[in-house]
Amino acid sequence: MAWYIKWNGALLGKSKKFFMIDGEKFFAPETLNLEYFKDNGNQKSSPKGKINYYDIVVNGKVNKDAAWYYSEPTEEAIMAISSDFTNYVAFGKDVDISIYP
């Protein structure tokens, strides 16, 4: 299964490479158009590790904290899904994720 990731008319990524973690799709960073992603310095800790946030910026519009990733997942979290998901990106806040042919 492959996915288009869009916001504000921009294609943020097109990916077949993702992990499901707690019901969220986390996409491989190399499948994303990272020019739209601005690391905003926001962080938080969770039982799965340290989470960092991106703002998504398209045509001057900013979608604050619209994407996030585990910069330092715990060994337990990596073992739980049997793969290293470091820096894989999840989305929220009106980002459209849809299947493409």
Side-chain angles (χ1 to χ4, degrees):
M1 191 174 298
W3 303 89
Y4 276 130
I5 304 144
K6 298 179 184 179
W7 183 72
N8 196 32
L11 181 63
L12 304 178
K14 186 166 81 170
S15 184
K16 293 181 181 182
K17 191 173 179 184
F18 67 95
F19 292 111
M20 291 295 293
I21 303 169
D22 295 336
E24 299 283 342
K25 293 174 190 75
F26 282 76
F27 295 94
E30 65 271 14
T31 66
L32 304 174
N33 298 321
L34 294 175
E35 68 267 18
Y36 298 115
F37 296 73
K38 306 298 179 217
D39 196 328
N40 63 22
N42 290 344
Q43 297 179 345
K44 75 176 187 179
S45 293
S46 86
K48 289 183 178 52
K50 185 166 81 171
I51 300 171
N52 295 68
Y53 290 86
Y54 288 120
D55 294 340
I56 297 174
V57 181
V58 176
N59 298 324
K61 291 187 179 181
V62 178
N63 191 346
K64 185 134 180 78
D65 290 337
W68 62 93
Y69 62 98
Y70 288 92
S71 59
E72 297 174 19
T74 65
E75 280 299 315
E76 294 82 12
I78 290 171
M79 289 174 57
I81 68 162
S82 302
S83 290
D84 185 357
F85 56 91
T86 302
N87 297 327
Y88 275 59
V89 180
F91 297 90
K93 294 191 178 180
D94 302 322
V95 174
D96 179 45
I97 300 173
S98 55
I99 297 172
Y100 75 87

